[in-house]
């Protein structure tokens, strides 16, 4: 099945400077947001502390819940609405599991004293110590880093080093923009989000490898043509496959984002941003970086040649 005619010839390569500028802008906006907010908004998995998901039988507000929990002395308490249910809230506390044993029972008893017996339902309770959270955070970062290194080695062996550099830079681009989106929309980063980042890396890499494979094939077939023309031809030849794959994946992720509920909302959001940015980077970042690499290499050769003559 082809959505686009095989002989189509969009000038993707000709727009590479504009695309690079857009990518730099998106990354800078995300980094500025991270700096302003003092870093990523880590969830309980990475920051440590205690969390309770509570559903109320009657309408209430975060301020009223926080006031009702004041006698527990839970430290810095944050109460926020959870999911689409107006009466469901997440209660976060800086206190650790050792300080708040039996958190669920204490929270339920305290809230029922305010709202009435049977009017409070504790959906889940999670507790993570600060040292465990720090360890999980470090391991999550290492997982992403090691994935990048493994990809660099794999693509170098399968293609060339310049292809590997282009692919890894495109993947770093995808992760940074997704991370920036999390900061801009004030969404938490926890263990499922690290899994989402790894899924984004795998998805984006798959798209990039398809285009790279066609570039290598066309380099042998059209070796007399200029390299930018070969790259642009390859992107166009794989465009129909890219749109079909990305489109169907996007529909599934969008369904998860809309109907999946609050528990996987952030995970689906990460995949939603990642699929869009990953498709964009496969077309406008990964392949044009090969042209940039060749241009830099050619200029160095010319400078060396001029220096040798002098």
């Amino acid at each position: 099945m082809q959505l686009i005619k095989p002989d189509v010839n969009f000038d993707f390569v000709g727009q590479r400077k504009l695309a690079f500028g857009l990518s730099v802008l998106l990354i800078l906006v995300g980094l500025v947001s991270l700096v302003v907010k003092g870093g990523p908004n880590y969830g309980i998995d990475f920051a440590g502390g205690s969390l309770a998901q509570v559903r109320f039988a009657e309408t209430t507000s975060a301020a009223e819940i926080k006031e009702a929990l004041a006698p527990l002395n839970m430290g810095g308490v944050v109460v926020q609405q959870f999911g689409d249910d107006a009466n469901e809230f997440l209660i976060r506390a800086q206190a650790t599991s050792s300080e708040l044993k039996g958190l669920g029972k204490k929270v339920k008893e305290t809230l029922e004293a305010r709202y009435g017996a049977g009017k409070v339902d504790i959906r889940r309770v999670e507790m993570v110590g600060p040292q465990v959270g720090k360890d999980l955070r470090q391991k999550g970062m290492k997982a992403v880093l090691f994935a990048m290194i493994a990809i660099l080695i794999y693509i170098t062996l399968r293609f060339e080093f310049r292809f590997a550099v282009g692919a890894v830079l495109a993947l770093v681009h995808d992760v940074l923009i997704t991370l920036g989106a999390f900061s801009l929309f004030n969404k938490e980063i926890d263990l499922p989000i690290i899994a989402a980042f790894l899924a984004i890396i795998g998805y984006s890499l798959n798209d990039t490898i398809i285009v790279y494979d066609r570039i290598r094939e066309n380099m042998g077939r059209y070796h007399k043509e200029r390299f930018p023309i070969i790259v642009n031809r390859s992107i166009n030849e794989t465009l129909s496959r890219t749109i079909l794959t990305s489109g169907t994946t996007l529909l599934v992720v969008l369904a998860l984002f809309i109907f999946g509920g609050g528990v996987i909302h952030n995970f689906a959001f990460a995949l939603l941003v990642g699929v869009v940015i990953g498709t964009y980077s496969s077309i406008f970042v990964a392949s044009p970086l090969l042209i940039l690499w060749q241009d830099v290499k050619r200029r160095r050769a010319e400078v060396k040649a001029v220096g040798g003559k002098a």
Side-chain angles (χ1 to χ4, degrees), residues 73-85:
N73 296 319
M74 296 169 66
V77 177
V78 177
V79 181
Q80 63 185 82
Q81 190 175 335
F82 182 71
D84 300 325
D85 193 333

Side-chain angles (χ1 to χ4, degrees), residues 217-227 230:
E217 180 182 326
N218 286 338
M219 284 172 64
R221 185 182 300 172
Y222 306 105
H223 59 276
K224 293 184 179 180
E225 290 188 356
R226 293 171 53 244
F227 188 61
I230 294 175

